[in-house]
Amino acid sequence: MSLIRGLARFFRHDAAGGVVLMLSALLALIVANSGLSGAYQGWLMKPFSVLLDGEGLSKPLILWINDGLMAVFFFLIGLELKREMMEGKLRNPADVMLPGMAAIGGMIAPALVYLAFTWPDPAARAGWAIPAATDIAFAVGVLALLGKRAPATLKIFLLTLAILDDLGAILIIALFYTHGLQPGYLVLALIPLAGLFLLNRARVHRIAPVVLFGVVLWVLVLKSGVHATLAGVVTAFFVPLRDRYGKSPLHSLEHALSPYVLFLIVPVFAFANAGVVIQGLTLSSLVSALPLGIAGGLVIGKQAGVFLTTWALVRLGLARLPEGVGWAHVYGLACLAGIGFTMSLFIGGLSFTDQARMNEVRLGVLTGSALSALLGYAVLRRAARPGTRSGTTGSRVSKAASARADGRTG
């Protein structure tokens, strides 16, 4: 019983998702470089079909994971975005400005750093968006390891930045990773979209009809050439925040879905996509343009984009740092924003189909994310030491104020 209670406490901890994600990536790395490598690759490429009278979908298992399971992941992101826009951190434009601009800077700078490394290779330029995204679960997990030593307002800042970063990644996928567009299927997709609109308008209590229309929408979007995970986001925005009885289907669904996404879907994705084959790697492989561009974008670009944008806005008097947050905290947060992992691997899979290229992508993402996590944790841990001068601007607060901030986020 004590083991069960211990596991229950672990899975309730904010860092649990990041730890499980890290273990899944580590397992993929071990399996990909062991005697099980052939079985691992064979399992990922095994065809899986859903057919009716010979017609339907037939894809390798890896694509079912990346297009199907990740649609559920994006569905959850859509639910979080809608909730935050309607009643949370994204409701007040004044609260969104600083993390929002930091998120934009934190997407532009990594892309520029990546292009600086890969410009001589035209084929590699397609991956410019790989280092632009932040992994919420991993970043929040690392921050959670600091416990009460990190200001509660810093977590709010990081969550807002990461949510807006996800929104930016969704827009990038929609605009730049749509290939072989087939308008006929998009026209057909208007039918389930209309159904979702009517259900939302009627403030339905039951979720099943929404999910059914969402599945039909996913199939049609997949067939259209637009990346199918976007159907998950669109469906989420039609889940009613309040039904006709005053209850919240959106809150209920988000609460029910979160553990499955965090502890099943994302780890399965990591296991399927993080298997870097180390055999044959040389020093020249580590410093070749593609992995170096990704790692440089995550480590250098994210730090520069997030920190310098925040610094400029505060110095120009256009924004204020959150209560209790100093410049050392902002720098540590900028480092944590360089943990790309899930989103970076996902965009890497959209950018390249060649396995040799994908191995370089995995190498760059894992290296850059690991360095960002270690550096961010070290900076924030040092910033939390008693007597450390963090250089806050108008935000030196008492312990009582910090306690109030903790209460707001508890």
Side-chain angles (χ1 to χ4, degrees):
M1 289 298 291
S2 58
L3 176 62
I4 294 174
R5 284 196 295 269
L7 286 173
R9 282 197 301 271
F10 167 74
F11 284 113
R12 285 195 298 267
H13 197 280
D14 284 345
V19 171
V20 173
L21 193 57
M22 181 180 65
L23 292 175
S24 301
L26 182 62
L27 182 60
L29 192 62
I30 293 170
V31 171
N33 293 278
S34 70
L36 297 172
S37 177
Y40 172 72
Q41 295 297 335
W43 174 74
L44 292 176
M45 298 310 297
K46 191 177 291 293
F48 183 84
S49 303
V50 178
L51 304 173
L52 181 62
D53 195 25
E55 295 291 330
L57 295 174
S58 183
K59 291 178 174 291
L61 194 56
I62 182 69
L63 292 184
W64 281 101
I65 292 171
N66 292 354
D67 292 347
L69 287 183
M70 289 302 283
V72 182
F73 169 77
F74 277 88
F75 178 65
L76 180 61
I77 288 177
L79 292 174
E80 292 172 347
L81 280 171
K82 180 174 180 178
R83 172 176 52 78
E84 296 293 352
M85 287 176 176
M86 297 190 74
E87 59 180 20
K89 305 176 191 72
L90 307 183
R91 187 179 182 181
N92 186 352
D95 294 337
V96 174
M97 180 184 171
L98 185 61
M101 294 303 294
I104 292 172
M107 298 187 83
I108 294 173
L112 293 176
V113 171
Y114 175 90
L115 289 172
F117 279 103
T118 60
W119 194 257
D121 184 354
R125 291 179 212 158
W128 62 270
I130 295 172
T134 297
D135 189 300
I136 295 180
F138 228 138
V140 172
V142 174
L143 184 62
L145 294 175
L146 293 162
K148 298 290 185 182
R149 287 174 292 185
T153 48
L154 187 68
K155 180 180 177 182
I156 295 174
F157 189 94
L158 176 61
L159 281 171
T160 308
L161 185 148
I163 289 167
L164 291 167
D165 187 284
D166 277 346
L167 180 59
I170 290 166
L171 292 174
I172 286 172
I173 292 169
L175 294 173
F176 299 100
Y177 292 95
T178 294
H179 305 290
L181 192 64
Q182 298 190 45
Y185 283 107
L186 286 179
V187 172
L188 288 174
L190 294 175
I191 299 172
L193 202 59
L196 288 168
F197 173 79
L198 293 173
L199 290 174
N200 183 70
R201 186 77 177 268
R203 296 195 299 164
V204 294
H205 175 69
R206 297 188 179 278
I207 297 297
V210 177
V211 173
L212 182 60
F213 275 122
V215 171
V216 175
L217 181 66
W218 176 82
V219 173
L220 293 172
V221 170
L222 179 67
K223 292 281 192 179
S224 74
V226 177
H227 201 273
T229 51
L230 298 177
V233 179
V234 173
T235 302
F237 273 84
F238 286 100
V239 175
L241 179 65
R242 292 277 179 261
D243 62 19
R244 63 173 71 98
Y245 305 110
K247 297 180 180 179
S248 178
L250 188 147
H251 286 178
S252 299
L253 188 56
E254 183 184 355
H255 180 74
L257 200 57
S258 290
Y260 294 99
V261 171
L262 200 58
F263 299 117
L264 179 62
I265 290 175
V266 173
V268 167
F269 172 83
F271 179 73
N273 288 274
V276 179
V277 179
I278 297 175
Q279 185 178 4
L281 281 181
T282 61
L283 183 60
S284 60
S285 302
L286 293 171
V287 296
S288 61
L290 185 55
L292 204 58
I294 294 171
L298 290 171
V299 178
I300 301 169
K302 276 289 185 181
Q303 286 182 38
V306 172
F307 184 82
L308 292 179
T309 301
T310 305
W311 179 85
L313 288 171
V314 172
R315 289 303 183 197
L316 290 171
L318 300 175
R320 293 177 57 191
L321 290 181
E323 189 178 49
V325 172
W327 289 114
H329 295 122
V330 174
Y331 180 63
L333 181 143
C335 295
L336 292 186
I339 306 174
F341 204 71
T342 306
M343 277 295 213
S344 293
L345 287 173
F346 183 75
I347 295 175
L350 300 180
S351 304
F352 305 107
T353 55
D354 179 72
Q355 284 304 307
R357 288 277 194 190
M358 273 308 299
N359 202 53
E360 290 184 317
V361 168
R362 295 182 188 109
L363 183 63
V365 170
L366 291 176
T367 304
S369 296
L371 288 173
S372 296
L374 292 172
L375 185 58
Y377 179 79
V379 170
L380 290 172
R381 187 176 178 85
R382 181 173 178 78
R385 288 179 182 172
T388 299
R389 295 178 63 86
S390 58
T392 49
T393 302
S395 57
R396 293 186 179 89
V397 296
S398 65
K399 290 182 180 179
S402 296
R404 289 197 300 272
D406 286 342
R408 286 196 299 270
T409 57

